[in-house]
Amino acid sequence: MNAPASNEIASARPASLPWACAILGAILLVVLPCFAGYGYSTSGIVGVSAAAVAFGICLACGILALFVTAIAQKMNQGVQGVLGAMLVRMGVPLIALFVLPKIGGPLVAAGVTGMVMAYYLITLAAETWLSLRFVPVTKISGAKSPAAKVA
């Protein structure tokens, strides 16, 4: 079903799930001091905790989305993998954004919801870039240019 046609050549892209998760973690860890600094300047140590909570929520969702994408690609279920990863990537932070204000407390006052939203955008960009490495590149063997694919 998702296998390449006879005139297509699938070239494998090197993608390792542990490396992709490590790269995602490193990207999010690099921006953590910015969020922690902002949180400390606005709310003290509680703001740093809010940054850590936002980091944890988005890192967990990003890693889980990478797992879904990688497993689905190994099962030749690319579209289902992308949709499943999108559900995890968007659903869990969205639920957190609904639940955290209801719980209230010092983390909400420190701005954890805004940090989750900002961290989500960074995680979305990084996780999308990393998940594209799991998708095999398919080249049409008879085509010399992009215009030849249409004709």
Side-chain angles (χ1 to χ4, degrees), residues 43-76:
S43 301
I45 196 70
V46 178
V48 176
S49 298
V53 168
F55 167 78
I57 289 171
C58 291
L59 179 65
C61 296
I63 288 175
L64 193 55
L66 286 173
F67 270 105
V68 170
T69 302
I71 290 169
Q73 286 298 325
K74 288 186 189 234
M75 296 171 51
N76 285 331

Side-chain angles (χ1 to χ4, degrees), residues 55-135:
F55 167 78
I57 289 171
C58 291
L59 179 65
C61 296
I63 288 175
L64 193 55
L66 286 173
F67 270 105
V68 170
T69 302
I71 290 169
Q73 286 298 325
K74 288 186 189 234
M75 296 171 51
N76 285 331
Q77 300 295 320
V79 173
Q80 292 86 346
V82 169
L83 292 175
M86 190 171 66
L87 177 70
V88 171
R89 182 186 323 117
M90 290 179 7
V92 177
L94 186 62
I95 290 170
L97 288 174
F98 283 132
V99 170
L100 287 172
K102 297 285 184 198
I103 294 172
L107 285 178
V108 174
V112 71
T113 54
M115 290 186 193
V116 168
M117 287 188 278
Y119 243 119
Y120 172 76
L121 293 175
I122 296 167
T123 306
L124 175 66
E127 191 268 326
T128 301
W129 172 68
L130 290 167
S131 66
L132 288 176
R133 299 186 62 197
F134 292 112
V135 179

